[in-house]
Amino acid sequence: MQNNNYGDSSITILEGLEAVRKRPGMYIGSTDDRGLHHLVWEIVDNSIDEALAGYGKEITVIIGNDNSITVMDNGRGVPCGKHASGKNTLEVIYTVLHAGGKFGTGGYKTSGGLHGVGGSVVNALSSYMEVTSYRDGKIHRMIFENGGKKIGKLEILGDTKRTGTTVKFIPDGQIFSTTIFDYEKIKERIRENAYLIKDLKMNLIDKRTNKQESFVYERGISEYVEDIDKNKKPIHKVCYFEDQIDKIAVEVALQFVDTYDEKIISFVNNVHTKDGGTHELGFKIALTRAFNDFSRKYNLLKEKDPNLEGSDLRSGLTAIVSVRVEESILEFEGQTKGKLGTPLAKTIVDQITYEKLTEYLVNNKDLAQKIVDKAIVEYNARMAARKARTQARLDKKDKQEVNLSGKLSPAGEKNKEINELFLVEGDSAGGSAKKGRDRRFQAILPLRGKILNIEKTGQENALKNQEIATMIYTIGADYGSSFDLKKCNYKKIIIMTDADDDGAHIQVLLLTFFFRYMRPLIEDGRVYVALPPLFKIVKRGKKEETIYAWTNEEKEKILKNAPANTIVQRYKGLGEMNADQLWDTTMNPETRNLIRVNIEDLSDAEKQIDILMGDDAARRRNWLESNVSFTLEDEQGE
Ligand code: 0RA
């Protein structure tokens, strides 16, 4: 997949840098925190491409005190000779859009990236950029300022024995809403790259804190799977295989653990495809077929038994599917381009997975038997649950309106388009909510204590749990693969908990539940978290006035202009509010602060969900803060 026949002349020139500064979003997605970090990925991707082409094994990223990023590699060095345009090639690569060997014909482009436009885009959006190329025994350097305006010519600084490229840039504060780089974010991405490219050493240094870490994985994605499963009980050693057919190379590592959830994380050209795509599909199809064919052949299934279903077989599976697709046939789909579209990827991943996995199963028959048994248990549980639901529906018809739990206070009118369901922590807050609500369109379901941690239990147990069964029944749209958003009884499902650690735990548990069993609810933006105020402030005077504050700053602001005898009460829980207060502050659509849950990157969240389910409250809070982004209800422009 690599091609060496380009040096200084096969680089095509298309467009100037002003376009990038005018419409940064078109090139890097956004100018917020996400876009800012995209700059880092672009520069790192260039070095990774060089490593993948077989040059250089170590990449170092430095976050500077001056808000800069420096990326160093030990590849061949950016070419510095004369380009067909008359300029030197280094200048062309970093000042002309779409320039770089990656574009046009004959070049490699292995890292996908959102737009993959590389160094010139970063230069356009930087207030400072310095490119140093160690090549042909010399140190070459060029400096740019103010969005890619060159300061002087290409200089030769001296002699060197090494080769490689160092790029330093400072993001332009006029373009980005924030220019503070996030160590953890960069670390995660760098670590992911190290897993995906065996033996590539990735270093990260933060000069602001003097933190420093290195990642290198001799066994690549096999170690990735082991690390994801490290707090679980695997039932076998990781199964790894790789192969290449035509323009597509496939690498897979998989392992079954003794729990029930499924994690498939897929990559195309080292970029995470968060919405899956043809490669993931091919993998799933092959896995189902391999297990079924094997089961028939070795009589693990009787003749009259139906085939095992994919979702049952994948129970407890952790897998990394990493493919490299040649640029000529690379297609992405979806709004954020997070889904591989290349049709050939399905066929080829299917073919390779089927062949290699069958071989593995034949060589590990006892393990195959265990996995098939597990799938049969899952299948039976699903059937039993389906039967129970049908029975419940029949019972309901018999007895007219019956609430499974008897706890739901339904909305007065049945209107799926406007009705809201409040899931309320505790019976006492549930009581106030029932009294305070607008009963025409608001339904209340109090949840007693902690809901079941569905990560620690199988589907069978999850569905036996009263709170969960009640939620599924109340929402009315089934669950799992049978979930049907059209049947959902509510426009908004609002989690209302105390603003403390227990409350955060309940939020995580509920979000995990929705994530696992009713994912389209989250994707459709129907899941919300209510934000109760932290303070009640009563201003005494001729007329008493009550004001609520949601943050410390808000409270201080209010107190600045308040008389001395003003009373401040800190709410510790929802239970301290009476029905009217709860309505005024937290439930009334006119005055409440409701936030919509967007799990930005579902499979990233997935990687961490198991970590969260322990007893560490601070970690849960962190998870909520970094994986779940919140949009204020009235900012949604509905
Ligand atoms: C174009 C051609 C060649 C190397 C590179 C670009 C290159 C770019 C970057 C960016 C960061 N690190 C890099 N390393 C290499 C190959 C030229 C040749 O044939 O030697």
Side-chain angles (χ1 to χ4, degrees), residues 6-7 46-47 50 73 76-79 93-94 101 108 135 165:
Y6 66 85
N46 286 338
S47 292
E50 183 68 1
D73 68 48
R76 288 167 292 183
V78 175
I93 290 181
Y94 288 90
Y108 59 83
R135 200 181 153 95
T165 305

Side-chain angles (χ1 to χ4, degrees), residues 4-8 11 43-51 55 71-79 89 93-94 100-102 108 131 135 164-167:
N4 287 323
N5 59 12
Y6 66 85
D8 289 322
I11 285 160
I43 298 299
V44 171
D45 278 357
N46 286 338
S47 292
I48 286 178
D49 281 345
E50 183 68 1
Y55 304 95
V71 179
M72 306 194 282
D73 68 48
N74 54 2
R76 288 167 292 183
V78 175
T89 306
I93 290 181
Y94 288 90
K102 300 174 187 180
Y108 59 83
V131 183
R135 200 181 153 95
T165 305
T166 301
V167 177

Side-chain angles (χ1 to χ4, degrees), residues 25 57 126 153 176 201 223 276 365 371 407 410 493 546 624:
K57 276 184 167 240
S126 296
K153 291 202 285 246
F176 293 95
K201 185 170 184 196
E223 276 177 89
K365 290 207 185 76
I371 297 166
K407 289 188 297 180
I493 293 170
T546 304
L624 271 179

Side-chain angles (χ1 to χ4, degrees), residues 435-450:
K435 275 190 228 126
R437 71 187 165 136
D438 183 333
R439 53 184 65 238
R440 284 171 304 174
F441 70 100
Q442 292 181 324
I444 310 293
L445 181 64
L447 299 173
R448 254 186 221 114
K450 294 222 168 130

Side-chain angles (χ1 to χ4, degrees), residues 339-541:
K339 190 171 178 183
L340 181 65
T342 307
L344 196 57
K346 181 178 145 208
T347 324
I348 290 178
V349 176
D350 179 348
Q351 188 180 334
I352 291 173
T353 303
Y354 181 79
E355 191 179 301
K356 301 281 183 180
L357 189 58
T358 300
E359 189 184 317
Y360 181 80
L361 294 179
V362 170
N363 291 327
N364 297 274
K365 290 207 185 76
D366 289 352
L367 173 66
Q369 171 85 55
K370 268 196 216 165
I371 297 166
V372 169
D373 287 349
K374 204 165 184 285
I376 293 174
V377 170
E378 281 288 299
Y379 175 82
N380 290 336
R382 250 179 343 104
M383 287 307 138
R386 191 174 291 172
K387 222 163 128 190
R389 278 198 312 278
T390 318
Q391 195 54 46
R393 267 196 289 269
L394 292 176
D395 290 352
K396 187 185 157 196
K397 268 197 197 132
D398 276 356
K399 300 182 198 154
Q400 285 302 314
E401 192 71 25
V402 176
N403 285 323
L404 265 184
S405 68
K407 289 188 297 180
L408 174 80
S409 303
E413 291 158 28
K414 284 204 163 37
N415 188 344
K416 290 182 185 184
E417 298 306 312
I418 60 162
N419 280 6
E420 300 178 347
L421 175 67
F422 282 82
L423 301 171
V424 186
E425 173 184 3
D427 276 337
S428 79
S432 299
K434 278 180 197 176
K435 275 190 228 126
R437 71 187 165 136
D438 183 333
R439 53 184 65 238
R440 284 171 304 174
F441 70 100
Q442 292 181 324
I444 310 293
L445 181 64
L447 299 173
R448 254 186 221 114
K450 294 222 168 130
I451 78 149
L452 187 72
N453 183 344
I454 57 123
E455 286 300 302
K456 286 191 178 159
T457 180
Q459 178 155 309
E460 196 180 0
N461 290 328
L463 299 170
K464 274 194 216 144
N465 177 267
Q466 179 80 87
E467 314 290 330
I468 287 182
T470 309
M471 268 192 290
I472 295 174
Y473 181 76
T474 306
I475 291 167
D478 218 326
Y479 65 92
S481 50
S482 322
F483 183 83
D484 182 358
L485 192 63
K486 287 197 291 298
K487 290 201 207 131
C488 177
N489 287 327
Y490 301 96
K491 174 78 179 158
K492 293 187 168 133
I493 293 170
I494 301 162
I495 301 171
M496 189 156 81
T497 71
D498 292 338
D500 58 10
D501 284 331
D502 273 351
H505 194 190
I506 292 172
Q507 287 174 19
V508 171
L509 290 171
L510 285 169
L511 290 176
T512 313
F513 165 71
F514 289 129
F515 177 67
R516 288 268 181 254
Y517 289 90
M518 300 186 179
R519 204 170 290 191
L521 271 187
I522 297 183
E523 287 164 352
D524 196 52
R526 296 205 197 192
V527 180
Y528 293 79
V529 175
L531 214 59
L534 289 178
F535 303 98
K536 175 185 172 184
I537 300 157
V538 182
K539 280 191 194 170
R540 296 280 188 66

